[in-house]
Amino acid sequence: MTAPRVVIADDQAFVRIGFRMILSSGGIEVVGEAADGAEAVSAVRDLRPDVVLMDIRMPGMDGLEATRRIVREPGDSRVLMLTTFDLDRYVYEALAAGASGFLLKDVTPEHLVAAVRLIETGDALLAPSITRRLVERFASGAPAAPVVHRDLAALTPREREVLTLVGHGRSNSEIADDLTLSEATVKTHVARIFAKLELRDRAQAVVLAYETGLVTPGA
């Protein structure tokens, strides 16, 4: 498997150095660094990385706005948000902006390397505490930045079942067990769901499942 190419965006140089050392030791190539959101967008345009490690709070253009711009760029660079702030409003805004994952900066080196490799494959990654806060936000009915709604009428009954399970956080193998299908069949259903609903990855699928009421908190 080809190692993912990564750009690190953080306004603190020592953080960038630390992440570079961790990723390099894990066999992941760091192709660029950025000290703010504008530099991150420019680096993505020039380098076309597979993954961007993106801090949220940076001077000038923050990580949320940079993410919005990056996901509109040609190519398929995916954004993994890293922050010290375990706050649900940032989680939701990051996912709505198009981020494919969200981790706290106290993540272990092994988890960080695994996260980058997972995101590069098109899967989604949320820390367990982040997922819980995200669900609690929907349960509370608190206002949040909206995502673009998709018409679920385009899905077959089986695809709606699969999307519901994705919304509950099930992996492909778990969905296969739940529905008595092969994992390859589940992957095909997931790919078709993404194509029909114009979704980038599972992170967007989870948000969509909650926002459309396909999945409800506590279900």
Side-chain angles (χ1 to χ4, degrees):
M1 182 182 297
T2 303
R5 301 168 65 255
V6 177
V7 163
I8 301 171
D10 194 292
D11 62 322
Q12 299 183 50
F14 74 90
V15 172
R16 298 197 303 273
I17 292 171
F19 286 154
R20 176 184 283 273
M21 291 176 62
I22 290 171
L23 294 176
S24 296
S25 66
I28 293 173
E29 181 183 7
V30 177
V31 296
E33 297 182 10
D36 57 39
E39 288 185 10
V41 174
S42 179
V44 168
R45 288 173 179 164
D46 293 340
L47 302 170
R48 302 297 182 199
D50 299 302
V51 177
V52 182
L53 289 184
M54 181 77 74
D55 188 24
I56 286 185
R57 291 191 175 185
M58 293 184 289
M61 184 188 299
D62 65 15
L64 294 172
E65 178 59 28
T67 297
R68 294 186 188 98
R69 298 190 185 196
I70 286 170
V71 298
R72 293 197 297 264
E73 288 288 317
D76 196 28
S77 297
R78 298 183 183 277
V79 178
L80 175 57
M81 288 290 192
L82 285 157
T83 182
T84 56
F85 301 97
D86 187 5
L87 301 176
D88 55 357
R89 74 180 180 90
Y90 290 122
V91 177
Y92 191 82
E93 289 179 28
L95 295 177
S100 295
F102 199 110
L103 287 175
L104 303 183
K105 284 186 177 178
D106 61 2
V107 63
T108 65
E110 296 80 11
H111 196 181
L112 178 60
V113 171
V116 169
R117 292 189 179 278
L118 180 66
I119 291 297
E120 194 266 337
T121 68
D123 212 332
L125 181 73
L126 297 173
S129 63
I130 297 296
T131 304
R132 185 173 60 254
R133 288 175 182 270
L134 180 61
V135 173
E136 288 171 354
R137 185 175 191 84
F138 282 103
S140 69
V147 297
V148 177
H149 286 278
R150 304 287 192 258
D151 184 4
L152 299 185
L155 302 182
T156 66
R158 177 62 85 186
E159 288 166 351
R160 288 175 68 94
E161 283 185 292
V162 171
L163 178 57
T164 299
L165 292 172
V166 169
H168 281 295
R170 299 282 203 279
S171 67
N172 285 347
S173 61
E174 290 170 335
I175 294 173
D177 290 340
D178 290 341
L179 300 180
T180 318
L181 300 171
S182 70
E183 190 169 346
T185 298
V186 172
K187 289 180 179 179
T188 298
H189 283 311
V190 171
R192 288 175 178 167
I193 291 167
F194 287 2
K196 288 181 178 181
L197 302 182
E198 300 179 358
L199 300 172
R200 285 174 57 87
D201 50 40
R202 293 176 96 92
Q204 285 192 331
V206 169
V207 172
L208 181 67
Y210 277 99
E211 288 221 324
T212 57
L214 197 60
V215 175
T216 56

